[in-house]
Amino acid sequence: MNSSRPFGPTEHPFWPWAPPPTCAVFFSLRLLRNWMREQERKQALLQATTEGEIRLLQSQVHPHFLFNTLNNIYSFALERSPVARQLIRRLSDMLRYIVEHCSDPYVSVDKELGILENYIELERVRYGDRLNIAVDIAGRPFSKAIAPQLMLPLLENSFKHGTSQTLKAAWIKLSVKVEGDLLHFSLANGKAADNTDPAPGKGGIGLANVQKRLALMYPSDHLLSVRNNPTEFVVDMRVPLHPLTPS
């Protein structure tokens, strides 16, 4: 005859592995708490690492640009030319801005455009009549903010791997347009047809720098397109803008 009596303490089919319900809940909560703490620790470490990498990338300035500019200043200073004072002022403004704002998460778009202008004028003196550069700035950047030094490394690249490699008829076309909460950046430069320098094809250090920072700061809402043609190199970039916070 079948019996329906309950199991005794030592007759339970899961004994002794089944803990009392209160113990199971306690251990589950403890495991969950430990897991959450570990996730918070990993997230804090990742954030610190990311912020450190961003600051390092933002602070990079090509030494060749500094050396070339200082050589130009020295040459004009020997001739007692007033151009030397202009070059010193522009270079000083650039370096001060980079030192003071390279660690900021976002900066004024208008000030970033000012840095591009200073850089272009410094290089224009260097290349003189060899360089044909067209710049088109459109929109209202005054109330918008962007991650610092996203545009300057690309402009540096166009001079280093484009203009400096072209013996004559060097050209650069730069377009920056602010539309609502988006910045559209387009940069094209000519290059020698027989230029075997691998840097333009890979984009150079400047482009690699920008690619890393875009991935860190705008992981899912940016656009970066590179076209390396036989006689020109073209970079198109689109990034979202933030409202400018008064400092």
Side-chain angles (χ1 to χ4, degrees):
M1 183 173 68
N2 293 332
S3 173
S4 60
R5 70 178 179 82
F7 290 107
T10 59
E11 295 176 311
H12 195 286
F14 297 108
W15 182 266
W17 300 279
T22 54
C23 292
V25 172
F26 172 78
F27 283 117
S28 297
L29 291 175
R30 184 174 181 180
L31 289 174
L32 178 61
R33 183 179 60 184
N34 290 341
W35 179 83
M36 292 179 65
R37 286 179 176 174
E38 180 63 17
Q39 293 302 114
E40 290 175 355
R41 187 190 68 81
K42 289 181 178 179
Q43 184 64 29
L45 180 60
L46 176 61
Q47 182 177 354
T49 302
T50 301
E51 291 175 353
E53 184 173 359
I54 290 174
R55 285 194 295 271
L56 176 62
L57 291 170
Q58 288 177 176
S59 65
Q60 292 179 3
V61 180
H62 288 173
H64 80 275
F65 165 70
L66 296 177
F67 293 144
N68 289 334
T69 302
L70 290 173
N71 283 334
N72 289 338
I73 293 173
Y74 179 71
S75 298
F76 283 108
L78 289 178
E79 300 171 3
R80 298 182 180 273
S81 170
V83 176
R85 292 195 298 271
Q86 299 175 17
L87 295 179
I88 291 173
R89 179 182 59 80
R90 289 187 180 276
L91 180 60
S92 176
D93 289 345
M94 283 191 64
L95 295 179
R96 182 183 299 109
Y97 181 77
I98 291 171
V99 169
E100 292 179 355
H101 297 286
C102 71
S103 60
D104 293 345
Y106 299 103
V107 294
S108 166
V109 173
D110 187 46
K111 290 183 178 179
E112 284 289 294
L113 294 177
I115 293 300
L116 297 187
E117 178 187 356
N118 280 337
Y119 180 86
I120 289 172
E121 292 306 315
L122 289 170
E123 291 286 43
R124 198 193 297 272
V125 170
R126 174 188 174 195
Y127 288 100
D129 295 337
R130 278 187 53 207
L131 175 64
N132 180 13
I133 182 166
V135 180
D136 180 28
I137 308 295
R140 297 183 58 84
F142 310 106
S143 61
K144 304 296 182 180
I146 190 174
Q149 297 194 72
L150 285 176
M151 296 180 283
L152 181 59
L154 300 178
L155 186 59
E156 282 186 298
N157 245 30
S158 68
F159 278 94
K160 182 179 180 181
H161 300 300
T163 304
S164 66
Q165 303 294 329
T166 306
L167 296 179
K168 58 182 180 179
W171 62 268
I172 293 176
K173 292 181 180 179
L174 170 64
S175 172
V176 181
K177 183 182 297 185
V178 175
E179 291 183 337
D181 293 331
L182 289 176
L183 181 138
H184 302 268
F185 176 95
S186 180
L187 180 65
N189 63 266
K191 65 176 189 176
D194 58 348
N195 186 0
T196 58
D197 184 356
K202 296 180 180 179
I205 297 175
L207 182 56
N209 178 311
V210 172
Q211 287 174 324
K212 290 180 181 179
R213 292 176 54 218
L214 286 172
L216 290 169
M217 303 193 72
Y218 305 100
S220 61
D221 50 1
H222 74 272
L223 174 67
L224 185 65
S225 171
V226 177
R227 301 192 303 277
N228 186 26
N229 301 323
T231 58
E232 67 175 6
F233 190 73
V234 183
V235 178
D236 291 304
M237 178 175 65
R238 186 187 69 211
V239 293
L241 299 175
H242 297 261
L244 182 60
T245 304
S247 56

